[in-house]
Amino acid sequence: MEIEELPDLKDNIEDYYEYHGVPLLDYVCDVANRFLPNLQQEPMIESRAPAIFYNRYFESKLSIEERYQKHKEFYISNESFESYKSKDYRKLDTSFKEKFLTNEDLQNTIEAFGLDVNKFWYLLLFVYDYIEDIGTNAPTLGKTVIEDINDLTTNLSEATSITLTKGNRKSYATESDKTINFINAATQYYIKAYNSIVNADLTREDKLRQLKEIGLDSFINGYTSFDLKGSYLDISYKKWKFAEMFQYFLEDKKATTIPDKKEKVSKDKWMFISRLIYTVGYHGKEYNEEYDENGNKKRMLSNLLRRYSQEEFPTVIGHYCMS
């Protein structure tokens, strides 16, 4: 079996809407619109993620010199080649393609669900690439400046002293109640003024004008901060997000019996997702086996997700989100 290649559109990534017309990306677009909506579009429908994925797919076939020239051509990068090649670049990983194609149990289930194996391959590749993007050295989302100031005022109301440092040295300290109360009152006044303006039914221009009058126009978006050192998601979180995305995709789909198929074909969606997790390498062969040695149905994935059911997924921002 051979996977049908994506057509080479030779288009700039900015024309992201055109990628939604590529039939082989139908499944990718469906999932991307749900999990990575285009926040700059009204209404928020067509995601930019399929365009990013498409370009990463073709970039994976290029040498670093060819990739650099492409980035220069489309004004994605104007840095020197020496600077460009020194950066970490996570190439799109397609190393599990043969594992996907030769897993007979998995292929039978794909057929039973009536899915197009070519479109499904690109969906699997997209979901895996997205999770590796947010799970490998991705910046984490920090507090906004406004949230930080709110926390400051909360603590100021109970503070008995304030100490400022410059480097490792103390530069200022006070235990004056009047000074602390004045700072607290001034901070709360500006927070209240800021909130009343940004939450008012005004145009962006009017909000900017009013914020400028009190010297807060640079904070109109709250200044979200990012920890650019990044983080690495535990494999359990990767399985969690992977399963969530495929649960959504399979939600309205139902498997049917394959005529003239002698071997038993699994129609279990959890088993389907488990075998995909095995395919991309997030777990060993246990996730590919439906029953244990005693003939009992394995529930490793459902048990894992049940364990995390009361937790919130870590807040991370990947390149699919920021582009």
Side-chain angles (χ1 to χ4, degrees), residues 272-302:
F272 191 1
I273 297 171
S274 290
R275 284 180 170 147
L276 294 173
I277 287 174
Y278 160 73
T279 299
V280 300
Y282 284 159
H283 205 97
K285 64 180 181 180
E286 297 87 356
Y287 265 53
N288 192 53
E289 298 166 348
E290 191 164 9
Y291 299 94
D292 63 22
E293 57 187 14
N294 297 316
N296 299 313
K297 199 174 184 68
K298 289 186 175 181
R299 304 188 183 278
M300 296 178 70
L301 179 59
S302 58

Side-chain angles (χ1 to χ4, degrees), residues 163-173:
T163 301
L164 303 180
T165 59
K166 185 176 182 180
N168 296 323
R169 298 178 60 186
K170 182 191 297 185
S171 60
Y172 174 82

